[in-house]
Amino acid sequence: MAAPVVDAFEATDVQNRLMAAVTDGRYRYIGFGGGVRGTKTWGSLSVLIVLCRAFPGSRWAVIRKDLQRLRQTTLPSFEKLRVRAGGFVSRVDGNFEARCTNGSLIIFRGENADKDPTLERFHGYEVNGFLNEEADELQEATFHKEIERAGAWVVPNGAQPDPLILCTFNPNASWPKRVWYDPWKNGTLAPPYAFIPSTIADNPHAPATPAP
């Protein structure tokens, strides 16, 4: 039976599988994807809102290749989810941050590797975890830098969530395929890594393909 992910939003089966992996306790680095319109963005942003609610005062970062892609794709989806969350999460402000009523925070940042090739700005990210949107567009070095930073934020006066890095991606020949998809396909993927495949067939809200 599908479980609610945020207020007024019922999760699909694949989104429930994603949430099960997040809450399993064995996985820290989760790949989510494999196809266009597989609910990757919607499902992964929903996970962050759930984590914000479950761990008051926690902090999470959403990373895309640059701010233009964030504005065009991720932020519109987040705004729809934010509205459904019933006032729990604020609008994304001018600093690209969304604040929750319980003190949790979601920040949105561009990787901007062309301007910061050594990823120095990541040293200042005090967060509990990361969501990499379209990780195949990011450097693998970014993922390794996030491993260093995930869990750096200590929740004041509350439960501390386990460090988490969630990566969405479409079919690709880049590093996410090597890190998640190939080992999963070969049956060798093991904790703390997990892969949740998601394609358009897992999206009950996708428009039906017209008959030929």
Side-chain angles (χ1 to χ4, degrees), residues 7-190:
D7 296 345
F9 169 54
E10 190 172 85
T12 64
D13 288 343
V14 73
Q15 290 163 354
N16 280 326
R17 291 198 295 273
L18 174 63
M19 181 57 70
V22 169
T23 58
D24 181 277
R26 293 177 296 166
Y27 307 116
R28 298 289 178 268
Y29 316 122
I30 301 175
F32 182 48
V36 177
R37 294 195 298 178
T39 74
K40 298 185 302 297
T41 296
W42 192 268
S44 54
L45 289 173
S46 298
V47 164
L48 290 195
I49 293 176
V50 169
L51 291 172
C52 282
R53 194 186 293 276
F55 297 96
S58 59
R59 294 185 175 184
W60 310 89
V62 180
I63 308 295
R64 276 219 67 172
K65 184 177 178 64
D66 52 46
L67 288 179
Q68 180 179 354
R69 287 172 173 82
L70 275 172
R71 291 190 184 100
Q72 291 175 342
T73 58
T74 307
L75 293 184
S77 295
F78 181 79
E79 175 61 18
K80 293 176 184 177
L81 278 169
R82 184 196 71 79
V83 171
R84 293 185 180 222
F88 173 65
V89 191
S90 73
R91 289 180 179 273
V92 177
D93 62 21
N95 293 320
F96 291 92
E97 298 179 353
R99 300 181 181 278
C100 303
T101 55
N102 66 355
S104 294
L105 180 71
I106 302 175
I107 67 173
F108 298 82
R109 298 289 186 266
E111 177 194 48
N112 299 321
D114 55 334
K115 299 176 183 177
D116 183 22
T118 59
L119 304 173
E120 290 298 318
R121 72 182 63 190
F122 277 78
H123 293 160
Y125 291 170
E126 302 290 327
V127 297
N128 299 106
F130 293 87
L131 163 60
N132 291 320
E133 270 273 273
E134 304 296 349
D136 45 300
E137 297 178 352
L138 305 178
Q139 300 181 100
E140 186 173 2
T142 295
F143 173 60
H144 291 292
K145 183 65 70 174
E146 291 170 345
I147 291 175
E148 297 175 10
R149 302 306 304 168
W153 173 251
V154 178
V155 175
N157 304 317
Q160 183 79 10
D162 292 328
L164 174 70
I165 301 175
L166 174 58
C167 294
T168 71
F169 52 90
N170 290 320
N172 68 88
S174 187
W175 65 270
K177 179 177 183 291
R178 171 171 46 80
V179 171
W180 281 284
Y181 181 78
D182 289 345
W184 171 79
K185 188 74 172 177
N186 296 332
T188 59
L189 190 66

